[in-house]
Every structure is written in structure tokens, then in C-alpha cells.
Amino acid sequence: MSGAPDDSGDLIELSIPVRADLVVLARLTAATVASRAGFGVEDIEDLRLAVEELCLSLVQNNESGRLHLTYLREDDVIQISCAFEREADQHSDGVSTSDDDDLSLRILDALVDEHGRDVRDGQLCAWLRKRRARVRNDG
Amino acid sequence: MNEIFEINETEHGGVPVVAVTGEIDVATAPQLRDRLLAQTAAGKSTIIVDLLGVTFLDSTALGVMVGGLKRCRESGGDLRLLIVEPRILKVFEITGLTDVFSISASLDDTNGATR
């Protein structure tokens, strides 16, 4: 993991092998980044689940390769990108087509402001953006 | 990595209760699936899954429970859930699964009352 706060926000990078027991690292990092950015408990929990779904949407049909996650905070927005790097002899495109994937999309739709998938440098990438909820001041 | 994940099995009025503690995610959901499959293989058509001790669940966990529900209903039974934690209930709500599962807040409510 690397990264340092600067004037443009915080950039954190995390690279993990595609292993079921390591996806927890992606959500732990999301929770830490969101907490540092002043997100509330509810938003942190939303982001924890959302980043899990982001990873699952790429790895469900794969048991090898790596996930490269980037956590970028800019003002009150956190953007998380997850790129799937195949191994040289791996043919799967990383896109899952199961019922679980439909559930993943519904969860992402509900929990984040924007999400999507694209191909960057030949790697399938899923991303999300979540804006920090404004604190209500009823007094 | 997921130290507190645990599954315990008991019975309530002759119905098996599969109680889960901790986080159900892509790493731990297969253990729950195996327990549900074992119950079905043992001839149990109705199962109660106790999620009162669950602190996190993802779409993999939902998929396991939907699979369990299908198997139970094919056998003429049902898969019922115990949930009180709003955070966990929210995941079922946003995926539309509160309309699919019988969800109760306690074992005593599982015979009739559902959300």
C-alpha cells in the first residue's frame, strides 16, 4: 500500500492477489479512507459493502490474477477504481454473469452516487464514486 | 482474516436453525452454503437462518440464501431469516429480497409474523 496526502486529496493504492480471503483488505482500506475523509458511520458502511461488490463484479469467475485498487479522495468525494489484471495464460474476461452479479449491481445502484465499468490499458476496470452526506443542521 | 465467523446449528420446534456470527462474504459464504446443503440432504425442507449475529454480508451471501430458499421451496418448505440489525436488513431491502424471504426478529416470531 502506498500514498500520501497532498493538496489534491488523498491517493491510496492497493494491489492484492485474487483470493476470497483477501477481499476484506479492499473494504478495510475503503473504511479507513472514508473515515479519514470525515464520512459518517452509515456512509462508511455503505462504502465498505460497495467496494466489496466492485471487487466481486470482477473476480467471481476467476481464481487467479490481481486486483489493483485506487482510492482517491477529492474534497467530499471518494472515487474507488478496481482493475483486474489477468495472468498471462488466463482467458476469462473477468466479467461475471451470475445472479450474484445482478445483486451486486442493485447494491451498487443503491449505495453509491455513480458506478461503472470500462477498459483501461487493456484491463477491465470497475469504479465508483460516493459523495459524503452533508451534515444536517436542524438547529 | 475473518476470525469471528462461526456457524452453529440448533433446532426450534423441530426446525433446524443455522445461526451465523460474524461477516458473511465471498470467503465465508461457501461454509454457509455447505451447511444449508447438508440440511437439505438430511431431508429438512424448512430451515431458519439466524442472522442476528451477522455484522456484514454481501451479494455472495445473498446468493447462498437465495439458493437455499429455492431448494427448500422445491421440497415444499421454506427458508426463513432472523434479522434485527438495520444494516443487514438494508441489504435485503435494496435488493428487493424482503419481498422474497420470510423475515422475523426472533425465533418466537418465525411461525407467523414476518416483515
Side-chain angles (χ1 to χ4, degrees), chain A residues 20-25 27 42 45-46 48-49 52-53 56 60 99-100 103-104 106-107 110-111, chain B residues 1-2 23 25-27 55-60 62-64 66 70 87 90-91 94-97:
Chain A
D21 61 330
L22 293 182
V23 177
V24 65
L25 295 176
R27 58 179 197 259
E42 184 83 2
E45 288 300 314
D46 285 352
R48 235 162 55 91
L49 178 53
E52 171 96 358
E53 300 303 333
L56 293 181
Q60 278 177 354
D99 290 343
D100 289 356
L103 293 171
S104 276
R106 287 194 215 177
I107 290 170
L111 298 187
Chain B
M1 197 69 77
N2 202 331
E23 300 189 337
D25 61 8
V26 65
T55 54
F56 176 89
L57 59 79
D58 65 12
S59 61
T60 316
L62 296 178
V64 165
V66 169
K70 285 179 181 172
R87 181 77 223 157
K90 179 179 177 179
V91 183
I94 62 181
T95 51
L97 292 175

